[in-house]
Amino acid sequence: MKAAVQRRRNWAGWLFVLPAAAFYVVFVIQPLAMTVQYSLYSWDGIGVAAWNGVQNYLRVFTDPDLFAAILNALKLIVFFSAVPVVLGLAIAATIRRIAASRLALVARTVIFLPQVIPLVAAGITWSWLLSSTGLVNQLLTAIGLEGVTRAWLGDFSTALPAVGVIGAWVLLGLCTLLLLAGMSKIDPALYEAARLDGAGAFREFFSITLPSLRQEIGVCVTVTVVAALASFDIVYISTQGGPGNASMVPGLEIYYLAFSEREVGLASALAVVLTVLVIACALPIQWLTRDRSS
Amino acid sequence: MVVILGGSLAAACAAPGSGNAQATAAASSAAPMSAAPTCGTEPITLKAYYETGFPITKALSDEFAKQHPNVTWDIREDQFAVITQNAPRVLADDPPDLMRLPQVSELVKNNLLKNLDDYAKVFGWDQWPASQLEQMRLAPGGAVRGEGSLYAMGLNFSMTGVFYNKKLAGQIGMTTPPETLADLDAALAKAKDAGLAPIAQFNGGATGGLAFPLQDLMASYGPPAPINEWIYQKPGATIDTPSNLQATQHLEKWIKAGYFWKDVNAVDYATMMSRFIKGDGLFMFNGDWESGNLDKQMAGNIGFFLMPPAQAGGKRAAMSAPLTFGIGANAKNADCAAAFLNWVATDAQARTIGVEVGGSHPMGPADAPMPPVTAGSVTENTLAAGAQIATDNGAMDFIANATGAIYAKSWTPNLQKLVAGEQTPDGLLKSVQADYQSQVKGG
């Protein structure tokens, strides 16, 4: 009798999960399965597809243009991930020290603002700032650096870093806020104890703040690495992958392949490779930064 | 959930696309049409899919509805890039009666467009100058363009060439348009020496605008026919020819001489237009879709000439393409849509709208009446240029239209590299030809 009730209760649990599970299957699992399926065909998106085996995957790794796009995404990690996390830590630590003042509130708002602005608007604004007559070049000229001014997004050597700077600007706010939230959780007694032991600000930061933020840093790094690898909007708005293919990233390449070259199979194969790459990057980060105490 | 999973698994077993109903190859109907189709007298709603930012389509539709009170319009508009992506799906799932078309090869290959041969015969479109319809003809299966059945119609046809700022031209003593390429080179050098920006052009993002001067130079050095054959995907056609190499080398010379803006690789079309209108740039390689706009914004200060030939007295050529519209293979009101397309080319009021609102030459018979235009306007210049191109048989499609992806994926990156000194003229043509071959084969 008791076992039967137990079982019924289990069933009721599944019933509650069902709507969400159905959505997950229809909108996540099924598209994923279809992408894997498409990646094995040669298909223009309309007519009947032809079986293509692993040919599409071979092209992803042998076509220099496609492979270069993957490399560009890896380079973007420096800007999208390393810069916001390191800078975010420094800014969060600074804001925490002046937490009570009005300046802290202003700083928090200003730094988080890019997260609120739509990426497309940010991309357009930055393409103005970085244009040959934009604010960045005006400032450089004003301080006598006219020699280095250029169309930052139209120059082969600076287009990708310039896109990276936009990404760093967008993601800095998110990281700062997450880290600041994490810092407010740290027991103030720890700092007090450290200070009694004669620790300075730097020692406090490296011995207390940084270790306590392990999980928050993990979230920051994961989110920003995924943003770098899967970047699309910022690149699409600011450079469209140009000049040449200097700032081409996999997300944009997939879009071009599927909708302008109508090579749905190849686009799907690149998408699968990108998915695997994202998981391969995210899993170790999760493992490294998980909370060992629990 | 099991049902859903089962359903998606079942779908996964078949090859993608095999579930789509494929219209059989649109053969001409058994009996030829005896009378020209009309929109009848019963109330009828035409479903149209237009491009945003082209007031000519709306103006023509309104006028047509005024003349045919039983016709109402159900119009959807999108950016051209969106239409390009949506075209196959929209034509397959929900075919409009009338639709602005991107590159048509793929659509014909998949039997998504109505074969217009019967309409052409009954309306007499086949009596018009052949060059007007050539770009919209496709061989069976859509493999080769430029010959075969008619699958689209133009609302008008555009003309490209070189616009120039008359005030700046006066500063360097240029009173008449250059007659030869050497004349143009001399004017460019003078402009550079005078501290002017010689050429206003765009080459940023995914649209390499240096393709305009490049194709003009190709037509200066060589005949347009082989270029058209390449665009039409004729077997064995190549862009890598000696005269095209000369043209690309000439373009490189212009780049190295500093005739383009230093930031040309970051300039998009809209930026080019606003800078040119403000007076930054003596010449601009562009098309007559801007004629009306430039006549308004630079009234009396704007001129136009066709690209001059390399040899004095040589024939002129220009990129010239119809503003293409097609009828869905399964459209409900195909006859009425065809009647509209015929009306656009033959009705006097429609032709006037085509010139005044569209800025380009209307389609239709060579002797059809032309609406009056303001003397001395650049619109007058571009219409006259259209007549000369017809005489010289110099109309070319745009090299960017050879395949669906050749512009964004090949011409643009290669031209941007040429500007940055990372590509040679020879390497550019070889690279574009290699991409072309893989796209034609794979597409």
Side-chain angles (χ1 to χ4, degrees):
Chain A
M1 187 66 191
K2 201 179 167 194
V5 172
Q6 192 76 39
R7 204 174 300 144
R8 195 174 310 144
R9 203 175 286 154
N10 282 347
W11 265 107
W14 280 108
L15 267 172
F16 282 111
V17 173
L18 193 63
F23 267 91
Y24 190 72
V25 168
V26 172
F27 293 109
V28 178
I29 304 288
Q30 173 172 310
L32 208 61
M34 282 164 81
T35 306
V36 173
Q37 187 207 355
Y38 291 170
S39 71
L40 301 172
Y41 286 86
S42 164
W43 190 33
D44 65 1
I46 321 158
V48 179
W51 178 257
N52 209 9
V54 295
Q55 287 301 318
N56 290 329
Y57 289 93
L58 289 180
R59 256 192 79 185
V60 168
F61 291 107
T62 52
D63 187 322
D65 283 349
L66 300 186
F67 199 67
I70 295 179
L71 287 183
N72 281 345
L74 294 174
K75 287 181 204 158
L76 277 184
I77 291 181
V78 176
F79 292 93
F80 278 55
S81 193
V83 173
V85 172
V86 172
L87 217 55
L89 270 172
I91 292 173
T94 314
I95 290 182
R96 209 189 70 85
R97 294 200 143 253
I98 56 166
S101 72
R102 186 160 295 194
L103 189 64
L105 184 72
V106 175
R108 252 201 328 254
T109 313
V110 167
I111 286 168
F112 192 66
L113 212 56
Q115 276 294 313
V116 185
I117 298 173
L119 278 181
V120 173
I124 293 172
T125 313
W126 272 95
S127 52
W128 288 340
L129 291 175
L130 293 168
S131 77
S132 54
T133 53
L135 190 66
V136 171
N137 283 334
Q138 286 174 23
L139 289 176
L140 285 172
T141 309
I143 58 169
L145 286 176
E146 208 171 344
V148 299
T149 60
R150 66 191 75 197
W152 297 94
L153 292 165
D155 192 288
F156 271 74
S157 53
T158 59
L160 190 66
V163 167
V165 167
I166 304 176
W169 174 81
V170 169
L171 292 166
L172 177 61
L174 179 74
C175 289
T176 309
L177 207 74
L178 270 172
L179 296 168
L180 206 53
M183 283 178 188
S184 65
K185 259 184 2 197
I186 304 173
D187 188 351
L190 286 173
Y191 288 105
E192 203 180 333
R195 235 165 277 151
L196 286 177
D197 287 343
F202 278 96
R203 191 61 207 259
E204 266 180 35
F205 178 79
F206 284 106
S207 298
I208 302 173
T209 314
L210 207 53
S212 313
L213 288 177
R214 176 192 280 272
Q215 276 181 306
E216 283 77 12
I217 293 175
V219 172
C220 281
V221 173
T222 311
V223 170
T224 52
V225 164
V226 172
L229 292 175
S231 55
F232 175 84
D233 356 31
I234 294 175
V235 184
Y236 182 68
I237 294 299
S238 57
T239 66
Q240 290 166 292
N245 284 320
S247 58
M248 184 59 79
V249 290
L252 197 57
E253 187 75 60
I254 291 166
Y255 163 76
Y256 278 136
L257 282 172
F259 294 104
S260 107
E261 300 196 38
R262 300 213 175 277
E263 294 210 40
V264 177
L266 186 58
S268 300
L270 185 56
V272 171
V273 170
L274 182 61
T275 310
V276 171
L277 189 68
V278 167
I279 295 172
C281 287
L283 278 186
I285 298 169
Q286 291 292 304
W287 185 79
L288 278 172
T289 57
R290 74 181 163 181
D291 198 354
R292 301 282 158 99
S293 58
S294 59
Chain B
M1 188 165 136
V2 175
V3 177
I4 298 163
L5 258 182
S8 54
L9 283 178
C13 291
S18 56
N20 292 355
Q22 288 290 305
T24 47
S28 306
S29 50
M33 283 176 208
S34 49
T38 64
C39 291
T41 51
E42 297 294 309
I44 187 170
T45 301
L46 276 181
K47 199 160 71 178
Y49 190 6
Y50 290 157
E51 177 181 356
T52 313
F54 276 72
I56 177 175
T57 46
K58 181 85 176 61
L60 286 170
S61 304
D62 287 348
E63 177 64 25
F64 189 70
K66 213 164 80 188
Q67 294 187 18
H68 304 80
N70 62 320
V71 175
T72 46
W73 290 91
D74 171 16
I75 297 173
R76 165 183 175 186
E77 286 194 2
D78 269 321
Q79 301 277 353
F80 190 67
V82 179
I83 293 182
T84 305
Q85 289 155 28
N86 283 352
R89 280 264 73 88
V90 169
L91 282 164
D93 300 341
D94 185 21
D97 298 316
L98 199 62
M99 176 171 174
R100 169 83 172 105
L101 295 176
Q103 217 274 0
V104 291
S105 302
E106 297 267 310
L107 304 177
V108 172
K109 225 174 272 178
N110 285 291
N111 299 320
L112 294 170
L113 286 177
K114 195 166 188 68
N115 183 326
L116 304 182
D117 279 350
D118 286 344
Y119 294 125
K121 204 173 290 163
V122 73
F123 283 122
W125 297 346
D126 47 7
Q127 308 298 314
W128 299 354
S131 65
Q132 283 185 25
L133 304 182
E134 187 185 273
Q135 294 179 18
M136 300 173 292
R137 293 189 179 280
L138 283 101
V144 177
R145 217 145 55 87
E147 57 188 54
S149 292
L150 188 68
Y151 282 96
M153 247 317 254
L155 291 194
N156 57 23
F157 58 94
S158 57
M159 187 59 53
T160 62
V162 190
F163 288 96
Y164 67 101
N165 182 320
K166 284 186 175 164
K167 208 173 94 200
L168 298 185
Q171 284 182 28
I172 60 157
M174 185 187 118
T175 49
T176 54
E179 284 296 318
T180 63
L181 185 56
D183 289 351
L184 179 60
D185 277 337
L188 287 166
K190 262 193 214 160
K192 181 80 190 166
D193 291 342
L196 301 172
I199 304 174
Q201 207 66 27
F202 68 107
N203 205 41
T207 48
L210 255 52
F212 281 82
L214 176 61
Q215 190 172 354
D216 278 337
L217 283 164
M218 286 176 175
S220 242
Y221 275 105
I227 301 174
N228 265 337
E229 283 171 15
W230 184 78
I231 298 166
Y232 292 157
Q233 303 185 7
K234 294 257 163 76
T238 177
I239 197 72
D240 186 16
T241 64
S243 67
N244 287 348
L245 180 60
Q246 279 179 302
T248 317
Q249 283 164 341
H250 202 110
L251 181 70
E252 192 192 34
K253 218 166 67 190
W254 284 359
I255 293 168
K256 291 203 164 136
Y259 292 166
F260 297 99
W261 291 316
K262 221 178 87 193
D263 61 349
V264 65
N265 266 357
V267 175
D268 62 12
Y269 184 86
T271 310
M272 167 188 78
M273 285 305 296
S274 78
R275 285 194 195 171
F276 180 76
I277 288 168
K278 269 190 275 178
D280 185 9
L282 171 58
F283 298 112
M284 173 177 71
F285 294 81
N286 206 340
D288 61 1
W289 49 86
E290 294 291 357
S291 296
N293 180 27
L294 290 171
D295 266 334
K296 216 177 293 164
Q297 307 230 28
M298 301 175 72
N301 187 26
I302 177 80
F304 175 88
F305 56 90
L306 286 166
M307 183 69 179
Q311 310 296 332
K315 287 188 167 180
R316 308 260 176 150
M319 290 91 90
S320 165
L323 187 63
T324 47
F325 282 75
I327 302 176
N330 300 312
K332 239 185 268 153
N333 304 309
D335 283 359
C336 185
F340 171 76
L341 289 171
N342 186 59
W343 171 87
V344 167
T346 51
D347 182 80
Q349 187 60 32
R351 290 175 67 88
T352 307
I353 292 173
V355 171
E356 284 178 358
V357 183
S360 298
H361 201 290
M363 307 286 289
D367 58 354
M370 285 299 289
V373 289
T374 319
S377 66
V378 84
T379 305
E380 188 192 29
N381 285 345
T382 50
L383 289 180
Q388 166 151 27
I389 289 299
T391 327
D392 285 0
N393 200 14
M396 298 178 286
D397 197 350
F398 190 28
I399 47 176
N401 292 339
T403 73
I406 198 89
Y407 194 30
K409 297 295 293 182
S410 198
W411 283 116
T412 299
N414 276 299
L415 284 166
Q416 288 169 339
K417 285 180 189 167
L418 189 72
V419 169
E422 303 208 350
Q423 179 62 287
T424 61
D426 187 47
L428 181 144
L429 293 174
K430 291 209 156 54
S431 165
V432 170
Q433 180 63 20
D435 290 340
Y436 171 86
Q437 270 161 347
S438 91
Q439 285 171 11
V440 167
K441 197 168 50 154

